[in-house]
PDB file of all heavy atoms in Angstrom:
ATOM      1  N   SER A 337     145.718  76.229 101.899  1.00 92.00           N
ATOM      2  CA  SER A 337     144.578  76.945 101.289  1.00 92.00           C
ATOM      3  C   SER A 337     144.756  77.001  99.761  1.00 92.00           C
ATOM      4  O   SER A 337     143.750  77.124  99.025  1.00 92.00           O
ATOM      5  CB  SER A 337     144.493  78.348 101.841  1.00 92.00           C
ATOM      6  OG  SER A 337     145.622  79.150 101.472  1.00 92.00           O
ATOM      7  N   LEU A 338     145.987  76.870  99.254  1.00 91.00           N
ATOM      8  CA  LEU A 338     146.223  76.870  97.813  1.00 91.00           C
ATOM      9  C   LEU A 338     146.472  75.481  97.256  1.00 91.00           C
ATOM     10  O   LEU A 338     146.879  75.351  96.105  1.00 91.00           O
ATOM     11  CB  LEU A 338     147.388  77.826  97.551  1.00 91.00           C
ATOM     12  CG  LEU A 338     147.069  79.264  97.766  1.00 91.00           C
ATOM     13  CD1 LEU A 338     148.345  80.146  97.693  1.00 91.00           C
ATOM     14  CD2 LEU A 338     146.074  79.775  96.747  1.00 91.00           C
ATOM     15  N   LEU A 339     146.240  74.463  98.053  1.00 88.00           N
ATOM     16  CA  LEU A 339     146.455  73.087  97.577  1.00 88.00           C
ATOM     17  C   LEU A 339     145.590  72.750  96.364  1.00 88.00           C
ATOM     18  O   LEU A 339     146.092  72.113  95.453  1.00 88.00           O
ATOM     19  CB  LEU A 339     146.211  72.099  98.702  1.00 88.00           C
ATOM     20  CG  LEU A 339     146.812  70.663  98.560  1.00 88.00           C
ATOM     21  CD1 LEU A 339     148.351  70.812  98.340  1.00 88.00           C
ATOM     22  CD2 LEU A 339     146.526  69.822  99.772  1.00 88.00           C
ATOM     23  N   PRO A 340     144.303  73.151  96.322  1.00 89.00           N
ATOM     24  CA  PRO A 340     143.541  72.885  95.151  1.00 89.00           C
ATOM     25  C   PRO A 340     144.141  73.448  93.867  1.00 89.00           C
ATOM     26  O   PRO A 340     144.139  72.839  92.812  1.00 89.00           O
ATOM     27  CB  PRO A 340     142.193  73.526  95.420  1.00 89.00           C
ATOM     28  CG  PRO A 340     142.063  73.519  96.908  1.00 89.00           C
ATOM     29  CD  PRO A 340     143.483  73.758  97.381  1.00 89.00           C
ATOM     30  N   ALA A 341     144.686  74.665  93.921  1.00 89.00           N
ATOM     31  CA  ALA A 341     145.350  75.263  92.767  1.00 89.00           C
ATOM     32  C   ALA A 341     146.611  74.549  92.393  1.00 89.00           C
ATOM     33  O   ALA A 341     146.917  74.410  91.207  1.00 89.00           O
ATOM     34  CB  ALA A 341     145.674  76.726  93.087  1.00 89.00           C
ATOM     35  N   MET A 342     147.341  73.986  93.364  1.00 87.00           N
ATOM     36  CA  MET A 342     148.576  73.269  93.074  1.00 87.00           C
ATOM     37  C   MET A 342     148.304  71.915  92.431  1.00 87.00           C
ATOM     38  O   MET A 342     148.993  71.518  91.508  1.00 87.00           O
ATOM     39  CB  MET A 342     149.388  73.089  94.357  1.00 87.00           C
ATOM     40  CG  MET A 342     149.919  74.359  94.961  1.00 87.00           C
ATOM     41  SD  MET A 342     150.794  74.069  96.518  1.00 87.00           S
ATOM     42  CE  MET A 342     151.363  75.706  96.980  1.00 87.00           C
ATOM     43  N   LEU A 343     147.256  71.257  92.915  1.00 85.00           N
ATOM     44  CA  LEU A 343     146.981  69.870  92.453  1.00 85.00           C
ATOM     45  C   LEU A 343     145.809  69.824  91.426  1.00 85.00           C
ATOM     46  O   LEU A 343     145.551  68.759  90.914  1.00 85.00           O
ATOM     47  CB  LEU A 343     146.673  68.998  93.633  1.00 85.00           C
ATOM     48  CG  LEU A 343     147.741  68.873  94.711  1.00 85.00           C
ATOM     49  CD1 LEU A 343     147.318  67.886  95.781  1.00 85.00           C
ATOM     50  CD2 LEU A 343     149.049  68.435  94.081  1.00 85.00           C
ATOM     51  N   HIS A 344     145.123  70.923  91.207  1.00 86.00           N
ATOM     52  CA  HIS A 344     143.961  70.964  90.320  1.00 86.00           C
ATOM     53  C   HIS A 344     142.863  70.003  90.810  1.00 86.00           C
ATOM     54  O   HIS A 344     142.188  69.361  89.963  1.00 86.00           O
ATOM     55  CB  HIS A 344     144.385  70.643  88.886  1.00 86.00           C
ATOM     56  CG  HIS A 344     145.169  71.712  88.250  1.00 86.00           C
ATOM     57  ND1 HIS A 344     144.766  72.404  87.138  1.00 86.00           N
ATOM     58  CD2 HIS A 344     146.413  72.249  88.522  1.00 86.00           C
ATOM     59  CE1 HIS A 344     145.693  73.303  86.783  1.00 86.00           C
ATOM     60  NE2 HIS A 344     146.675  73.206  87.619  1.00 86.00           N
ATOM     61  N   VAL A 345     142.749  69.888  92.097  1.00 85.00           N
ATOM     62  CA  VAL A 345     141.727  68.996  92.713  1.00 85.00           C
ATOM     63  C   VAL A 345     140.884  69.834  93.660  1.00 85.00           C
ATOM     64  O   VAL A 345     141.432  70.619  94.451  1.00 85.00           O
ATOM     65  CB  VAL A 345     142.418  67.866  93.434  1.00 85.00           C
ATOM     66  CG1 VAL A 345     141.354  66.965  94.125  1.00 85.00           C
ATOM     67  CG2 VAL A 345     143.263  67.036  92.514  1.00 85.00           C
ATOM     68  N   PRO A 346     139.544  69.769  93.582  1.00 87.00           N
ATOM     69  CA  PRO A 346     138.721  70.564  94.531  1.00 87.00           C
ATOM     70  C   PRO A 346     139.045  70.262  95.967  1.00 87.00           C
ATOM     71  O   PRO A 346     139.366  69.119  96.307  1.00 87.00           O
ATOM     72  CB  PRO A 346     137.304  70.119  94.149  1.00 87.00           C
ATOM     73  CG  PRO A 346     137.414  69.546  92.770  1.00 87.00           C
ATOM     74  CD  PRO A 346     138.776  68.948  92.693  1.00 87.00           C
ATOM     75  N   MET A 347     138.852  71.276  96.837  1.00 89.00           N
ATOM     76  CA  MET A 347     139.153  71.101  98.246  1.00 89.00           C
ATOM     77  C   MET A 347     138.297  69.970  98.870  1.00 89.00           C
ATOM     78  O   MET A 347     138.763  69.208  99.723  1.00 89.00           O
ATOM     79  CB  MET A 347     138.935  72.380  98.995  1.00 89.00           C
ATOM     80  CG  MET A 347     139.339  72.364 100.529  1.00 89.00           C
ATOM     81  SD  MET A 347     141.136  72.073 100.741  1.00 89.00           S
ATOM     82  CE  MET A 347     141.768  73.727 100.472  1.00 89.00           C
ATOM     83  N   GLN A 348     137.024  69.863  98.443  1.00 86.00           N
ATOM     84  CA  GLN A 348     136.159  68.820  98.956  1.00 86.00           C
ATOM     85  C   GLN A 348     136.736  67.406  98.685  1.00 86.00           C
ATOM     86  O   GLN A 348     136.617  66.529  99.549  1.00 86.00           O
ATOM     87  CB  GLN A 348     134.761  68.897  98.292  1.00 86.00           C
ATOM     88  CG  GLN A 348     133.981  70.165  98.607  1.00 86.00           C
ATOM     89  CD  GLN A 348     134.256  71.218  97.553  1.00 86.00           C
ATOM     90  OE1 GLN A 348     135.326  71.317  97.001  1.00 86.00           O
ATOM     91  NE2 GLN A 348     133.240  72.061  97.305  1.00 86.00           N
ATOM     92  N   GLN A 349     137.381  67.276  97.567  1.00 84.00           N
ATOM     93  CA  GLN A 349     137.961  65.994  97.230  1.00 84.00           C
ATOM     94  C   GLN A 349     139.270  65.724  97.976  1.00 84.00           C
ATOM     95  O   GLN A 349     139.693  64.577  98.197  1.00 84.00           O
ATOM     96  CB  GLN A 349     138.244  65.946  95.748  1.00 84.00           C
ATOM     97  CG  GLN A 349     138.459  64.554  95.139  1.00 84.00           C
ATOM     98  CD  GLN A 349     138.485  64.596  93.624  1.00 84.00           C
ATOM     99  OE1 GLN A 349     137.731  65.385  93.022  1.00 84.00           O
ATOM    100  NE2 GLN A 349     139.365  63.829  93.003  1.00 84.00           N
ATOM    101  N   LEU A 350     139.918  66.851  98.398  1.00 83.00           N
ATOM    102  CA  LEU A 350     141.183  66.657  99.119  1.00 83.00           C
ATOM    103  C   LEU A 350     140.949  66.406 100.594  1.00 83.00           C
ATOM    104  O   LEU A 350     141.814  65.814 101.308  1.00 83.00           O
ATOM    105  CB  LEU A 350     141.986  67.976  98.967  1.00 83.00           C
ATOM    106  CG  LEU A 350     142.643  68.250  97.606  1.00 83.00           C
ATOM    107  CD1 LEU A 350     143.094  69.668  97.572  1.00 83.00           C
ATOM    108  CD2 LEU A 350     143.760  67.283  97.349  1.00 83.00           C
ATOM    109  N   MET A 351     139.818  66.782 101.105  1.00 83.00           N
ATOM    110  CA  MET A 351     139.534  66.686 102.557  1.00 83.00           C
ATOM    111  C   MET A 351     139.869  65.311 103.157  1.00 83.00           C
ATOM    112  O   MET A 351     140.503  65.239 104.183  1.00 83.00           O
ATOM    113  CB  MET A 351     138.089  67.111 102.879  1.00 83.00           C
ATOM    114  CG  MET A 351     137.886  68.613 102.943  1.00 83.00           C
ATOM    115  SD  MET A 351     138.845  69.382 104.205  1.00 83.00           S
ATOM    116  CE  MET A 351     140.042  70.304 103.223  1.00 83.00           C
ATOM    117  N   PRO A 352     139.366  64.235 102.525  1.00 80.00           N
ATOM    118  CA  PRO A 352     139.642  62.902 103.163  1.00 80.00           C
ATOM    119  C   PRO A 352     141.119  62.596 103.249  1.00 80.00           C
ATOM    120  O   PRO A 352     141.534  61.780 104.119  1.00 80.00           O
ATOM    121  CB  PRO A 352     138.937  61.906 102.205  1.00 80.00           C
ATOM    122  CG  PRO A 352     137.867  62.738 101.557  1.00 80.00           C
ATOM    123  CD  PRO A 352     138.483  64.096 101.381  1.00 80.00           C
ATOM    124  N   ALA A 353     141.954  63.202 102.384  1.00 74.00           N
ATOM    125  CA  ALA A 353     143.382  62.883 102.419  1.00 74.00           C
ATOM    126  C   ALA A 353     144.160  63.802 103.357  1.00 74.00           C
ATOM    127  O   ALA A 353     145.372  63.568 103.583  1.00 74.00           O
ATOM    128  CB  ALA A 353     143.960  63.081 101.003  1.00 74.00           C
ATOM    129  N   LEU A 354     143.472  64.826 103.943  1.00 77.00           N
ATOM    130  CA  LEU A 354     144.191  65.769 104.822  1.00 77.00           C
ATOM    131  C   LEU A 354     144.014  65.308 106.250  1.00 77.00           C
ATOM    132  O   LEU A 354     142.892  65.331 106.818  1.00 77.00           O
ATOM    133  CB  LEU A 354     143.633  67.189 104.626  1.00 77.00           C
ATOM    134  CG  LEU A 354     143.821  67.794 103.251  1.00 77.00           C
ATOM    135  CD1 LEU A 354     143.266  69.215 103.195  1.00 77.00           C
ATOM    136  CD2 LEU A 354     145.325  67.834 102.849  1.00 77.00           C
ATOM    137  N   PRO A 355     145.074  64.849 106.895  1.00 72.00           N
ATOM    138  CA  PRO A 355     144.969  64.368 108.277  1.00 72.00           C
ATOM    139  C   PRO A 355     144.962  65.485 109.305  1.00 72.00           C
ATOM    140  O   PRO A 355     145.865  65.695 110.095  1.00 72.00           O
ATOM    141  CB  PRO A 355     146.225  63.541 108.387  1.00 72.00           C
ATOM    142  CG  PRO A 355     147.242  64.193 107.474  1.00 72.00           C
ATOM    143  CD  PRO A 355     146.418  64.750 106.336  1.00 72.00           C
ATOM    144  N   LEU A 356     143.896  66.287 109.246  1.00 79.00           N
ATOM    145  CA  LEU A 356     143.767  67.479 110.144  1.00 79.00           C
ATOM    146  C   LEU A 356     142.517  67.340 110.952  1.00 79.00           C
ATOM    147  O   LEU A 356     141.571  66.608 110.615  1.00 79.00           O
ATOM    148  CB  LEU A 356     143.669  68.738 109.303  1.00 79.00           C
ATOM    149  CG  LEU A 356     144.840  68.968 108.268  1.00 79.00           C
ATOM    150  CD1 LEU A 356     144.489  70.132 107.327  1.00 79.00           C
ATOM    151  CD2 LEU A 356     146.161  69.211 108.970  1.00 79.00           C
ATOM    152  N   ARG A 357     142.480  68.071 112.064  1.00 83.00           N
ATOM    153  CA  ARG A 357     141.238  67.977 112.874  1.00 83.00           C
ATOM    154  C   ARG A 357     140.091  68.677 112.180  1.00 83.00           C
ATOM    155  O   ARG A 357     140.297  69.497 111.255  1.00 83.00           O
ATOM    156  CB  ARG A 357     141.506  68.576 114.261  1.00 83.00           C
ATOM    157  CG  ARG A 357     141.775  70.061 114.366  1.00 83.00           C
ATOM    158  CD  ARG A 357     142.127  70.443 115.793  1.00 83.00           C
ATOM    159  NE  ARG A 357     142.395  71.848 115.881  1.00 83.00           N
ATOM    160  CZ  ARG A 357     141.487  72.775 116.256  1.00 83.00           C
ATOM    161  NH1 ARG A 357     140.269  72.372 116.534  1.00 83.00           N
ATOM    162  NH2 ARG A 357     141.773  74.038 116.337  1.00 83.00           N
ATOM    163  N   GLU A 358     138.928  68.363 112.608  1.00 89.00           N
ATOM    164  CA  GLU A 358     137.709  68.726 111.881  1.00 89.00           C
ATOM    165  C   GLU A 358     137.598  70.252 111.651  1.00 89.00           C
ATOM    166  O   GLU A 358     137.249  70.716 110.585  1.00 89.00           O
ATOM    167  CB  GLU A 358     136.478  68.198 112.610  1.00 89.00           C
ATOM    168  CG  GLU A 358     135.162  68.486 111.856  1.00 89.00           C
ATOM    169  CD  GLU A 358     133.972  67.954 112.563  1.00 89.00           C
ATOM    170  OE1 GLU A 358     134.102  67.392 113.663  1.00 89.00           O
ATOM    171  OE2 GLU A 358     132.857  68.118 112.048  1.00 89.00           O
ATOM    172  N   GLU A 359     137.896  71.000 112.718  1.00 92.00           N
ATOM    173  CA  GLU A 359     137.784  72.480 112.584  1.00 92.00           C
ATOM    174  C   GLU A 359     138.702  73.024 111.504  1.00 92.00           C
ATOM    175  O   GLU A 359     138.325  74.003 110.837  1.00 92.00           O
ATOM    176  CB  GLU A 359     138.081  73.158 113.938  1.00 92.00           C
ATOM    177  CG  GLU A 359     137.016  72.954 115.002  1.00 92.00           C
ATOM    178  CD  GLU A 359     137.142  71.626 115.743  1.00 92.00           C
ATOM    179  OE1 GLU A 359     138.050  70.790 115.373  1.00 92.00           O
ATOM    180  OE2 GLU A 359     136.323  71.358 116.625  1.00 92.00           O
TER     181      GLU A 359
END
Side-chain angles (χ1 to χ4, degrees):
S337 66
L338 290 169
L339 200 56
M342 293 178 178
L343 301 183
H344 290 243
V345 177
M347 186 64 82
Q348 296 92 326
Q349 197 170 322
L350 290 167
M351 279 299 109
L354 297 181
L356 305 170
R357 66 186 180 95
E358 183 178 2
E359 288 81 359

